[in-house]
């Protein structure tokens, strides 16, 4: 039986939903690790969080302040060496279930892969929505500027892996290949009636890979449990084109200390190469690159 053509779906629609990449046992293990991590964050014992009502980094947490005081909707840095459950998340990020798909989507080999980001999107402390956006193109871009940016290779794969049923991600299929229409450009930033929009319906254990410049938004409900692993993995060809999106999150400060010995020998060797390629990107100055989006 031939492999599913995930790349064709991604190129056509801007996203591809892959069902059941986790076993029930893996889901249970990741849920336990995620709950403990969320409890740590909500109790102000993990400073790297996504704060309400901020939509994009930087998260503007004042030194010495309670990072969770105003509510949170995500936990950052799942592979950080100081996070108690980091080994569980490291094993998932570098698993063949993820990497085999990434290699098909990026049309590359192990030697081309670059370690990037791994975070946790959670039930917010109050209902919260993200505006319509493309991750690396400002809303103020002209149609010509949009098209120019959309023609560039993505050089990465981005995914949401749900541990509970999750329909928070809302996308406009095919919008990764074109400039916004007049309707999209002039719509309310939180409009709920954009033509063609769909909610991506994920069951526990499903993963959706998506082009981060597809027109998309998020709608998160405080009464519904959410534990969705949010990751990205790059291609060495991305160089400084990807550095802005990755280094804005500050992982260069601790990436060298990640304990990759929790992996088997083959996966560890591959992961070490991915980390080294990320570190080589660190020569680009985060302060001069700025942030992809603001708000």
């Amino acid at each position: 039986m031939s492999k599913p053509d995930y790349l064709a779906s991604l190129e056509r629609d801007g996203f591809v939903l892959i069902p059941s990449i986790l076993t029930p046992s893996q889901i249970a293990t990741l849920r336990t690790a995620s709950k403990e991590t969320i409890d740590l964050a909500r109790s102000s014992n993990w400073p790297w969080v996504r704060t309400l009502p901020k939509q994009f980094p930087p998260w503007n947490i004042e030194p010495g302040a309670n990072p969770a005081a105003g509510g949170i909707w995500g936990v950052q840095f799942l592979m950080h060496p100081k996070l108690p459950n980091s080994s569980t998340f490291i094993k998932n990020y570098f698993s063949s279930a993820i990497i085999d798909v990434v290699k098909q989507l990026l049309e590359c080999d192990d030697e081309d892969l670059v370690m990037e980001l791994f975070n946790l999107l959670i039930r917010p402390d109050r209902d919260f929505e993200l505006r319509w956006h493309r991750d690396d193109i400002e809303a103020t871009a002209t149609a010509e500027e949009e098209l120019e940016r959309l023609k560039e290779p993505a050089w990465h794969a981005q995914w949401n892996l749900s541990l509970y049923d999750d329909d928070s991600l809302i996308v406009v299929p095919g919008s990764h290949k074109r400039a916004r229409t007049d309707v999209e450009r002039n719509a309310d930033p939180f409009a709920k009636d954009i033509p063609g929009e769909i909610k991506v319906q994920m069951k526990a254990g499903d993963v959706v890979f998506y082009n981060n410049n597809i027109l998309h938004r998020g709608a998160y409900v405080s009464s519904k449990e959410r534990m969705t692993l949010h990751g990205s993995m790059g291609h060495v060809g991305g160089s400084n084109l990807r550095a802005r999106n990755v280094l804005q999150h500050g992982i260069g400060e601790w990436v060298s200390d990640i304990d990759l010995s929790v992996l088997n020998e083959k996966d560890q060797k591959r992961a070490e190469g991915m980390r080294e390629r990320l570190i080589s990107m660190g020569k680009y100055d985060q302060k001069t690159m700025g942030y992809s989006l603001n708000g």
Side-chain angles (χ1 to χ4, degrees), residues 5 21 49 77 81 87 90 92 102 105 116 124 143 155 205 239 242:
D5 194 345
I21 74 156
V49 292
F77 300 166
S87 61
I90 288 168
N92 177 259
V102 171
L105 297 180
E116 290 192 351
W155 294 122
S239 190
R242 274 299 291 171

Side-chain angles (χ1 to χ4, degrees), residues 131-257:
R131 60 176 168 81
W132 286 105
H133 66 283
R134 305 184 193 272
D135 282 2
D136 203 29
I137 303 176
E138 285 280 5
T140 54
T142 65
E144 291 75 18
E145 289 169 338
E146 277 188 287
L147 287 171
E148 191 64 28
R149 291 296 302 276
L150 292 173
K151 289 176 183 176
E152 297 174 355
W155 294 122
H156 75 285
Q158 181 166 302
W159 68 91
N160 285 356
L161 172 55
S162 58
L163 304 181
Y164 287 90
D165 293 0
D166 189 348
D167 63 355
S168 303
L169 177 64
I170 305 167
V171 302
V172 179
S175 59
H176 63 299
K177 297 189 292 186
R178 59 167 176 78
R180 285 166 293 170
T181 65
D182 288 340
V183 170
E184 292 165 346
R185 187 173 292 274
N186 296 317
D188 182 275
F190 299 93
K192 296 177 173 62
D193 56 354
I194 294 294
E197 70 169 61
I198 65 167
K199 285 188 173 183
V200 179
Q201 303 285 343
M202 304 176 69
K203 297 293 186 182
D206 291 355
V207 64
V208 60
F209 285 83
Y210 61 101
N211 184 309
N212 75 334
N213 280 327
I214 191 173
L215 194 60
H216 67 286
R217 72 181 192 95
Y220 314 122
V221 181
S222 58
S223 60
K224 182 179 179 181
E225 187 57 274
R226 188 185 194 213
M227 296 180 187
T228 294
L229 299 169
H230 178 59
S232 69
M233 198 171 288
H235 186 293
V236 70
S239 190
N240 61 341
L241 178 64
R242 274 299 291 171
R244 178 176 55 191
N245 261 358
V246 176
L247 297 182
Q248 69 176 9
H249 295 265
I251 70 173
E253 298 171 7
W254 47 266
V255 66
S256 296
D257 299 322

Side-chain angles (χ1 to χ4, degrees), residues 6-77:
Y6 300 133
L7 179 58
S9 296
L10 182 70
E11 290 180 338
R12 180 186 66 241
D13 300 323
F15 71 97
V16 55
L17 178 62
I18 305 172
S20 304
I21 74 156
L22 296 177
T23 66
S25 175
Q26 289 170 331
I27 292 173
T29 297
L30 285 163
R31 280 181 178 176
T32 298
S34 296
K35 181 182 185 305
E36 293 175 1
T37 299
I38 293 167
D39 289 346
L40 199 68
R42 292 200 196 278
S43 62
S44 303
N45 290 308
W46 189 251
W48 296 289
V49 292
R50 298 187 178 205
T51 55
L52 294 170
K54 199 81 167 57
Q55 300 202 23
F56 309 110
W59 304 109
N60 297 342
I61 299 170
E62 295 295 328
N66 176 353
I72 61 175
W73 63 282
V75 183
Q76 304 290 93
F77 300 166

